[in-house]
Amino acid sequence: MNTVVENHFIDAASNRHLDWLESEAIHIMREVAAECSNPALLFSGGKDSIVLLRLAEKAFRPGKFPFPLVHIDTGHNFPEVIAFRDKRVAQLGERLIVGSVEESIRRGTVRLRNPTTDSRNAAQAVTLLETIAEHKFDACIGGARRDEEKARAKERIFSFRDEFGQWNPKAQRPELWDLYNTRVHAGENMRVFPISNWTELDVWQYIAREKLELPQIYFAHERQVIPRNGLLVPLTDLTPPRDGETVETQIVRFRTVGDISCTCPVSSDATTVEAIIAETAITQITERGATRMDDQTSEASMEKRKKEGYF
């Protein structure tokens, strides 16, 4: 089941703020289409990429998108999110290219100690680079935001990646007066973030204003979880309890969706977008800080993954 957002009152100041963010994002998308020869838009079925699709509709409809949609599928994604992804792509009538981590494992380019249960989140970087190389994409549009995590805050809107797909935070290009240098040599590419300046609250307010449909996983529901290191690990075949741990049934929702092996829900009774907006307005923990096990390995874990090609 998916949820369609009901009408939500947003005051005039908030509307003006969303109008400004929307206008900037549309300008960035059109800049990609004008300056890049073979771009793609990453679409996972998550809330940020759902917002990107609406922005692309506003930028390019009634014509077709000037780029395909791309998803890097770990094979360990939440099934309701994948179902939503396929439904939304069919509604839009756009082309979806799926890069499979499972295929990278079969090829031997990704090696995990236990391919059945190990987290495949970091392995996405390899499959993404392979997908970029196969289709010769020179730009990939994504939904990353600077407020998600401190490594994200170092990103430019047009984030340059070298011929190895790697990111060097000290070698990024200036972006003065909304002027973007998109030139790349063969093998190099750009990662482009049209909603880089948005916050989690902005995203939810935009979802409310645009009445965007979402996977039900974003709203409060009953789920079995395992309290672990301050997080609530969802009970699945991929994430069973460890020795000494207990399984609890709680009312939770997901603030972000990703690989099952590293994405946790949060305690919440928010069943509507209005309630989520109210929660988000007072939260003191970042989206990834509250939900991602893979970011707990070290303070620089995200930055290390990004340097290796992670989005």
Side-chain angles (χ1 to χ4, degrees):
M1 177 181 176
N2 300 315
T3 295
V4 178
V5 175
E6 301 297 332
N7 288 328
H8 174 75
F9 175 77
I10 299 176
D11 62 34
S14 295
N15 238 328
R16 287 195 297 272
H17 176 63
L18 293 177
D19 284 342
W20 184 90
L21 290 173
E22 178 188 76
S23 177
E24 179 192 50
I26 289 172
H27 166 70
I28 292 165
M29 282 196 172
R30 289 173 174 167
E31 190 77 3
V32 172
E35 298 290 337
C36 301
S37 61
N38 189 27
L41 188 153
L42 297 192
F43 177 60
S44 65
K47 69 180 189 308
D48 298 304
S49 58
I50 289 169
V51 166
L52 284 183
L53 285 192
R54 173 50 56 92
L55 293 167
E57 286 184 278
K58 293 195 173 189
F60 304 111
R61 286 296 194 238
K64 300 283 286 185
F65 292 171
F67 37 64
L69 307 180
V70 172
H71 182 218
I72 305 303
D73 186 358
T74 67
H76 289 171
N77 293 320
F78 291 96
E80 51 266 65
V81 179
I82 295 298
F84 180 89
R85 178 202 71 183
D86 294 341
K87 174 186 173 182
R88 191 73 186 99
V89 170
Q91 289 172 339
L92 289 168
E94 297 291 344
R95 180 165 69 109
L96 175 67
I97 296 169
V98 178
S100 169
V101 173
E102 188 70 46
E103 288 297 322
S104 296
I105 293 172
R106 291 195 188 103
R107 284 193 295 268
T109 52
V110 167
R111 295 186 180 183
L112 302 173
R113 284 181 296 180
N114 189 333
T116 304
T117 59
D118 284 359
S119 175
R120 299 180 176 186
N121 193 51
Q124 291 182 82
V126 174
T127 307
L128 174 60
L129 294 178
E130 290 174 342
T131 304
I132 289 172
E134 178 184 354
H135 296 277
K136 296 181 172 55
F137 294 131
D138 61 345
C140 289
I141 303 168
R145 308 185 321 270
R146 288 183 176 132
D147 76 323
E148 289 181 87
E149 203 272 343
K150 56 189 176 183
R152 299 278 200 208
K154 296 180 181 181
E155 288 276 18
R156 298 288 195 266
I157 290 175
F158 280 73
S159 180
F160 173 75
R161 305 300 172 108
D162 65 20
E163 64 272 25
F164 302 106
Q166 297 182 330
W167 173 69
N168 182 352
K170 296 180 179 180
Q172 295 300 304
R173 300 167 178 180
E175 295 180 339
L176 305 176
W177 305 292
D178 295 332
L179 298 175
Y180 306 110
N181 181 351
T182 64
R183 294 180 182 176
V184 293
H185 296 293
E188 299 172 342
N189 66 87
M190 289 285 180
R191 311 288 173 86
V192 185
F193 307 112
I195 62 172
S196 186
N197 291 327
W198 298 41
T199 66
E200 184 182 6
L201 182 59
D202 294 328
V203 168
W204 281 108
Q205 288 183 325
Y206 191 76
I207 288 168
R209 189 179 82 168
E210 299 295 312
K211 304 180 181 65
L212 300 182
E213 186 178 3
L214 298 164
Q216 185 63 27
I217 197 170
Y218 278 110
F219 299 91
H221 57 282
E222 192 174 89
R223 184 178 289 262
Q224 288 185 298
V225 296
I226 308 158
R228 181 183 299 164
N229 298 330
L231 300 176
L232 298 177
V233 179
L235 177 65
T236 70
D237 292 340
L238 297 170
T239 51
R242 298 171 180 170
D243 290 343
E245 291 183 332
T246 59
V247 177
E248 301 177 2
T249 299
Q250 294 193 24
I251 304 298
V252 299
R253 69 176 178 87
F254 285 83
R255 287 175 66 181
T256 183
V257 295
D259 192 88
I260 289 173
S261 62
C262 63
T263 305
C264 298
V266 296
S267 294
S268 173
D269 59 2
T271 58
T272 66
V273 168
E274 287 80 2
I276 291 175
I277 289 172
E279 278 189 359
T280 304
I282 61 173
T283 187
Q284 296 182 345
I285 304 176
T286 64
E287 183 178 318
R288 294 189 68 92
T291 65
R292 299 305 287 264
M293 287 182 277
D294 53 334
D295 287 345
Q296 289 192 338
T297 55
S298 79
E299 289 190 358
S301 57
M302 168 63 85
E303 184 160 330
K304 289 177 181 177
R305 292 198 303 275
K306 287 175 66 60
K307 287 180 178 179
E308 294 169 355
Y310 188 80
F311 210 86

